[in-house]
């Protein structure tokens, strides 16, 4: 019989009983091994493709929020219509280094997301890629603390601006710079949403890497 | 056109990478079939994942030291100046700043998390083929990373203000009077940022281990 001769040829003396499906594979060694894999793997493939699509959609949402945060913060400037000899009454994002860092970090995150969109598409088209997914996971892991740091540094300043601090004699400035404070608070919220999306992106990449 | 050309070359190179992996699999699969007579699992070499798990455990221990030290250093941070007037207080505690309170709480949570995940890390050293717990660890690590970074950078922002002040909002630098308080706060920040680096490294190590498991098991 075909399968017994094939098995004795490769294993030596002992003929090993084989099931039908395996004997048909052993008897046609010229058939590529990929047909076995495509017959077994569509559910996993579909799941990974689904995760890739989720990844892509989340990236687009994160681009929107990151760029919205950067522009909302970067275009704030309020000048009060009065002034005295000692105090300035103009507020820019430039005046606070935390806000400058915020704009830079969110713009960087937005640019990185735009550049990572092709890799995300490749992960949808070829669901079993490991290299591209791992690279996306690495860069997303670096982006999480970057965006979170920028968002929470700005949030600390905004909290101070809203409430002040009596022990350090820091005056709450939001009562005068109302418009500035509102825009800045909105930008901080958008940045926190971006950071949350990055966390979900890391989890999705890790889940897609897990099943293979 | 050029983009499509680059994309197809990228895709074919990735296909080439994949086929390197696939060409290994039929040989191993045939060996498995002949040895076990029908079971298609190949024997899994576990050596390299053990190294990753050991480094992971060491990193977690370092992380405990960093975050616990930061929490304690900030929590015991207070300074009272030796003079006072009727109207103004001259003492500073970590309580007076909301960001520092958040910092202490977050660092305590993360150091407790590290302590609780040490048994999981030890299990990973002993059993290298533990995919479910690895991804759970990656998920929890990412959440803790976001939390720790939020706490640490809020405190860093306030410490920066205390050192330098801000002329346009008329916030005066407090560190010139409260020198010890500022030093204690800055020192505890270093421990916390060390904890952030540890968490990033553990996430990357976990992802590397996951991808190696994915490549090896047929």
């Amino acid at each position: 019989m075909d399968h017994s001769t094939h098995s004795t040829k490769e294993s030596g003396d002992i003929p090993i009983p084989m099931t039908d499906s395996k004997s048909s594979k052993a008897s046609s060694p010229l058939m590529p091994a990929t047909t076995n894999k495509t017959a077994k793997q569509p559910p996993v493939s579909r799941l990974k493709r689904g995760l890739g699509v989720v990844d892509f959609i989340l990236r687009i949402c994160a681009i929107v929020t990151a760029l919205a945060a950067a522009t909302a913060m970067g275009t704030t400037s309020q000048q009060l219509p009065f002034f005295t000899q000692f105090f300035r009454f103009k507020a820019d994002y430039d005046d606070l280094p935390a806000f400058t860092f915020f704009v830079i970090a969110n713009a960087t995150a937005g640019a990185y997301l735009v550049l990572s969109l092709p890799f995300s598409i490749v992960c949808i088209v070829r669901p079993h890629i490991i290299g591209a997914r791992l690279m996306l996971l690495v860069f997303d892991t670096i982006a999480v603390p970057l965006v979170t740091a920028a968002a929470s540094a700005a949030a600390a300043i905004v909290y101070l601006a809203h409430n002040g601090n009596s022990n350090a004699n820091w005056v709450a400035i939001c009562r005068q710079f109302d418009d500035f404070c509102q825009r800045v608070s909105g930008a901080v919220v958008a940045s926190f949403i971006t950071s949350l999306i990055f966390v979900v992106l890391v989890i999705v990449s890790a889940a897609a890497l897990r099943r293979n | 056109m050029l983009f499509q050309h680059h994309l197809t070359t990228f895709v074919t190179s990735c296909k080439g990478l994949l086929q390197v992996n696939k060409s290994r699999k039929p040989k191993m699969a045939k060996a498995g079939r002949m040895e076990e007579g029908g079971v298609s699992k190949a024997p899994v070499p576990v050596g390299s994942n053990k190294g990753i798990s050991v480094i992971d455990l060491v990193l977690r221990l370092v992380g405990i030291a960093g975050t616990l030290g930061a929490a304690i250093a900030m929590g015991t941070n207070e300074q009272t100046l030796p003079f006072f007037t009727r109207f103004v207080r001259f003492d500073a505690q970590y309580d007076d700043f909301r960001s520092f309170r958040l910092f202490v709480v977050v660092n305590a949570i993360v150091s407790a998390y590290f302590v609780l995940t040490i048994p999981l890390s030890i299990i990973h050293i002993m059993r290298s083929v533990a995919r479910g717990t690895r991804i759970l660890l990656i998920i929890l690590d990412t959440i803790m990373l976001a939390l720790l970074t939020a706490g640490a950078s809020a405190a860093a922002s306030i410490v920066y203000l205390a050192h330098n002040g801000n002329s346009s909002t008329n916030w005066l630098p407090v560190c010139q009077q409260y020198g010890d308080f500022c030093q204690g706060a800055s020192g505890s920040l270093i421990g916390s940022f060390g904890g952030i680096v540890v968490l990033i490294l553990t996430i990357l190590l976990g992802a590397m281990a996951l991808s190696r498991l994915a490549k090896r098991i047929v």
Side-chain angles (χ1 to χ4, degrees), chain A residues 16 95 149 152 159 167 170-171, chain B residues 89 98 150 153 166 168 171-172:
Chain A
I16 299 169
D95 300 330
S152 74
Y159 177 83
N167 297 81
W170 287 338
V171 178
Chain B
R89 286 194 308 172
R98 278 282 172 94
S153 68
N166 190 288
S168 33
W171 287 337
L172 298 173

Side-chain angles (χ1 to χ4, degrees), chain A residues 102-121:
Chain A
F102 180 90
V103 171
I104 293 175
N106 276 280
T108 307
Y112 155 69
L113 282 167
V114 168
L115 287 175
S116 71
L117 278 179
F119 293 98
S120 187
I121 293 175

Side-chain angles (χ1 to χ4, degrees), chain B residues 54-217:
Chain B
V54 166
I55 297 177
D56 189 75
L57 181 68
V58 166
L59 278 176
R60 276 176 206 276
L61 290 172
V62 169
I64 291 180
T67 48
L68 200 59
I72 292 177
M74 184 64 91
T76 58
N77 201 13
E78 61 173 344
Q79 187 180 11
T80 311
L81 295 182
F83 51 89
F84 52 89
T85 73
R86 222 177 340 155
F87 303 109
V88 187
R89 286 194 308 172
F90 285 113
D91 73 333
Q93 286 180 333
Y94 85 96
D95 255 353
D96 300 332
F97 298 91
R98 278 282 172 94
S99 303
F100 292 167
R101 231 188 291 173
L102 174 75
F103 179 80
V104 171
V105 165
V106 161
N107 273 278
I109 289 175
V110 172
S111 68
Y113 162 76
F114 275 137
V115 168
L116 287 175
T117 53
I118 280 189
L120 216 55
S121 206
I122 294 179
I123 289 178
H124 284 153
I125 296 181
M126 297 191 312
R127 301 179 63 221
S128 282
V129 193
R131 280 191 294 182
T133 46
R134 260 201 207 279
I135 191 169
L136 176 72
L137 216 52
I138 290 181
I139 292 175
L140 288 176
D141 276 345
T142 315
I143 296 173
M144 289 298 152
L145 175 67
L147 198 66
L148 187 63
T149 321
S153 68
S157 163
I158 300 291
V159 164
Y160 177 85
L161 258 190
H163 273 283
N164 299 55
N166 190 288
S167 51
S168 33
T169 51
N170 297 307
W171 287 337
L172 298 173
V174 184
C175 274
Q176 282 154 12
Q177 289 124 33
Y178 297 100
D180 281 343
F181 181 76
C182 271
Q183 271 187 6
S186 314
S188 67
L189 271 183
I190 293 176
S192 191
F193 276 107
I196 290 177
V197 170
V198 159
L199 271 173
I200 292 179
L201 286 174
T202 52
I203 293 175
L204 294 181
L205 281 175
M208 218 160 61
L210 257 191
S211 72
R212 278 186 195 211
L213 285 172
K215 264 188 215 163
R216 223 177 279 128
I217 296 179

Side-chain angles (χ1 to χ4, degrees), chain A residues 6-24:
Chain A
H6 193 83
S7 60
T8 48
K9 214 187 297 174
E10 293 185 42
S11 69
D13 299 324
I14 308 167
I16 299 169
M18 284 184 173
T19 58
D20 264 345
S21 61
K22 296 203 170 45
S23 69
S24 66

